[in-house]
Amino acid sequence: MSAKRFHLGWFTNFTPDDWNGTFASGGSPWDGTFYVDAARQLERAGFDFLMLEDKLSISEAYGGTSEAYLKHALGLVPKHDPAPLATLIGASTTSIGCVATLSTLGYPPFLLARMCSTIDHLARGRFGWNVVTSAEDAAAQNFGLDKLPERETRYEMAEEYMELCYQLWNSWEPGAVVMDRETATYADYRKVNPIHFKGKYFKSRGPLNTVPSPQVKPTILQAGGSPKGRSFAAKHADAVIAAANGVEGMKAYRDDIRSLAEGHGRNPDDVKVMFLVAPTVAETDREAHARYERAVEAPYFIEQSLTLISAITDIDFKAFDLDRPLPHRLVTNGEQSSLDMFQNWGSGKTLRQLVVEASGGLSESVKLIGTPETVADAMEEAMAYVGGDGFLITTPNAALNRRQLVEVTEGLVPVLQRRGLVRTTYSHKTLRENLLAY
Ligand SMILES: Cc1cc2nc3c(=O)[nH]c(=O)nc-3n(C[C@H](O)[C@H](O)[C@H](O)COP(=O)(O)O)c2cc1C
């Protein structure tokens, strides 16, 4: 009997990639071809999707200035808009999903619903929206607010936002597009109706002025980690993307999402929980460990990681002593659950140890270091324990280079495929269908 298959996504962003790394390509990433090449490579390996993370400001959280961010292009800066890039990727590929992160803080719901519908057409049913509520005061200030609304309020607003989007996407009934040459009828106007949505935060008349796309609504990804965030994700997401501490943490996370989904009246199998990992793959286990050690000892590694965690929490980590534990449990109106994963409060570890353990600002769920076989063993064991559904693969700090892609797509994935653990061909045309196929 073949082993239980799991899903793979790749997590990156539209940034200067690994611009000064030893194996950086050296060209400009801004015309998108670097990312299109990456997507094609991931498609050959059968990945469900390439996901583009996003933020909407240049942070000054680390040291109270943008210096580290801009000078070294660290953390999350500079960053281009993921929606046009996702469109380009969708138009340049045939089977892989293209996912853009779009913030409910940034877009009026009508524009977002319309844009998602348009991109889903251009990507022939393979567009995904990673729903975020934004987590930085600087982002809020770029949209005319004095500061970020409180987390609870952000989720309350996002809840209403989603409801409004669903109504817009459904404002064209099935069969509304007629295209009858005899009667010169393009659409049946009786099947396209206003929604007259009036909420506490948003109002929209509707209907949407786009034709329903192949998926009607985009595939929804979500990463909320707080109790409100998890409930929101379990209600709306086709795929929950998550970081958790080890296989125990992963199992607890997935069980929680599945029971929350059931509480929302959903079939828990319709919500895939995919865990963030950053594998280091090499010819031998020793070489992989040596490479990992080199990466965490590299100049700027600590600063790079701290700029990232500062940016997503609005906390100045430059103010803390690297060789002492954090002075108290830190709280933020930004990404609290990411912060909690990172600070591992009560462990007594120094800040330097925390950074090295997290392999950068992005916390991994399980450490994956070794040959393709070693890493495949660890992935197989983790999935068997957790119960499914897959992994979201990234590189430390999400900066991408071609070598790391090849190691995963031409080294690790073939081993997983030989074991029957991941797909070898796509069974469906749309992202949601492929995601829910097993
Ligand atoms: C894998 C992963 C990817 C994320 N991607 C983004 C992103 O692209 N943009 C963003 O603003 N937040 C992103 N987040 C943050 C989440 O949207 C969320 O704010 C965070 O997990 C904290 O949850 P909470 O808001 O419920 O406290 C990501 C989180 C994780 C774990």
Side-chain angles (χ1 to χ4, degrees):
M1 200 188 89
S2 75
K4 197 171 170 198
R5 280 192 295 175
F6 54 79
H7 298 266
L8 294 176
W10 190 285
F11 176 84
T12 188
N13 42 34
F14 196 0
T15 57
D17 57 78
D18 186 24
W19 68 282
N20 61 346
T22 316
F23 290 89
S25 49
S28 162
W30 305 126
D31 69 2
T33 45
F34 172 79
Y35 291 97
V36 168
D37 285 351
R40 288 187 174 139
Q41 202 165 328
L42 294 166
E43 184 170 68
R44 282 198 298 278
F47 271 65
D48 286 76
F49 57 82
L50 169 68
M51 178 198 145
L52 298 162
E53 175 270 328
D54 198 31
K55 291 282 170 187
L56 295 167
S57 58
I58 293 180
S59 183
E60 294 177 6
Y62 185 75
T65 158
S66 63
E67 182 182 349
Y69 296 96
L70 284 165
K71 184 175 173 198
H72 306 303
L74 284 186
L76 306 156
V77 176
K79 181 169 297 182
H80 285 207
D81 192 322
L85 180 57
T87 310
L88 183 66
I89 289 171
S92 312
T93 51
T94 56
S95 306
I96 191 169
C98 47
V99 180
T101 299
L102 306 168
S103 171
T104 54
L105 187 81
Y107 284 90
F110 186 91
L111 267 189
L112 181 135
R114 183 168 185 251
M115 184 170 75
C116 286
S117 173
T118 304
I119 302 179
D120 195 44
H121 276 288
L122 294 167
R124 298 179 299 283
R126 291 175 290 118
F127 183 59
W129 170 26
N130 176 35
V131 183
V132 298
T133 60
S134 286
E136 308 79 25
D137 284 338
Q141 286 156 8
N142 283 339
F143 293 92
L145 302 172
D146 292 332
K147 65 188 203 47
L148 195 65
E150 293 301 313
R151 180 179 302 104
E152 302 282 303
T153 311
R154 295 203 303 275
Y155 278 118
E156 192 183 76
M157 292 171 78
E159 193 59 63
E160 201 182 292
Y161 195 112
M162 297 306 291
E163 179 55 35
L164 170 46
C165 287
Y166 296 144
Q167 290 192 23
L168 286 172
W169 286 318
N170 290 326
S171 61
W172 288 55
E173 288 173 30
V177 178
V178 179
M179 287 182 68
D180 179 21
R181 294 179 86 95
E182 296 278 298
T183 55
T185 306
Y186 189 84
D188 180 348
Y189 75 97
R190 288 162 303 195
K191 292 186 172 167
V192 184
N193 291 303
I195 59 168
H196 297 300
F197 185 95
K198 279 195 192 66
K200 185 169 162 195
Y201 303 101
F202 304 102
K203 255 170 98 173
S204 181
R205 183 183 186 280
L208 209 55
N209 57 349
T210 51
V211 163
S213 70
Q215 296 185 108
V216 183
K217 61 172 183 167
T219 296
I220 306 284
L221 272 69
Q222 224 284 322
S226 59
K228 265 255 160 70
R230 284 192 191 196
S231 171
F232 180 80
K235 181 170 175 189
H236 298 286
D238 299 294
V240 173
I241 47 174
N245 265 327
V247 288
E248 296 289 344
M250 289 162 71
K251 183 168 168 40
Y253 203 121
R254 181 171 181 267
D255 289 349
D256 190 31
I257 292 291
R258 288 175 67 83
S259 81
L260 287 166
E262 251 181 314
H264 288 300
R266 298 183 69 192
N267 176 354
D269 290 339
D270 290 348
V271 191
K272 305 300 176 193
V273 186
M274 301 177 68
F275 290 99
L276 197 63
V277 287
T280 306
V281 185
E283 231 90 22
T284 65
D285 287 346
R286 229 168 103 189
E287 201 179 314
H289 281 279
R291 188 188 305 166
Y292 177 81
E293 294 304 325
R294 279 202 301 280
V296 298
E297 282 161 14
Y300 296 122
F301 179 80
I302 299 273
E303 192 181 21
Q304 187 169 11
S305 307
L306 291 180
T307 55
L308 184 60
I309 193 84
S310 292
I312 66 173
T313 58
D314 271 344
I315 292 171
D316 181 8
F317 276 83
K318 199 173 184 181
F320 301 120
D321 188 334
L322 270 174
D323 294 303
R324 297 175 81 96
L326 293 168
H328 50 85
R329 179 178 176 264
L330 303 171
V331 290
T332 175
N333 185 32
E335 296 188 26
Q336 183 66 46
S337 39
S338 311
L339 176 61
D340 284 336
M341 273 278 295
F342 175 77
Q343 67 182 331
N344 199 358
W345 181 244
S347 67
K349 292 186 174 148
T350 66
L351 181 54
R352 191 186 300 278
Q353 286 170 322
L354 293 176
V355 173
V356 170
E357 227 166 65
S359 330
L362 292 162
S363 303
E364 298 161 86
S365 306
V366 273
K367 277 248 176 299
L368 299 173
I369 307 173
T371 62
E373 281 75 18
T374 305
V375 172
D377 286 347
M379 291 171 94
E380 185 171 4
E381 273 164 34
M383 278 296 115
Y385 185 81
V386 171
D389 303 299
F391 293 96
L392 183 64
I393 298 188
T394 189
T395 46
N397 301 313
L400 189 58
N401 73 44
R402 291 201 166 97
R403 179 183 171 181
Q404 285 158 324
L405 267 174
V406 167
E407 285 162 356
V408 170
T409 58
E410 315 294 317
L412 174 61
V413 170
V415 176
L416 296 172
Q417 286 174 334
R418 285 200 290 277
R419 297 184 189 187
L421 292 171
V422 297
R423 71 160 66 82
T424 50
T425 54
Y426 294 90
S427 51
H428 294 84
K429 286 196 167 11
T430 68
L431 171 53
R432 184 178 289 106
E433 285 171 307
N434 279 317
L435 203 52
L436 300 187
Y438 54 87

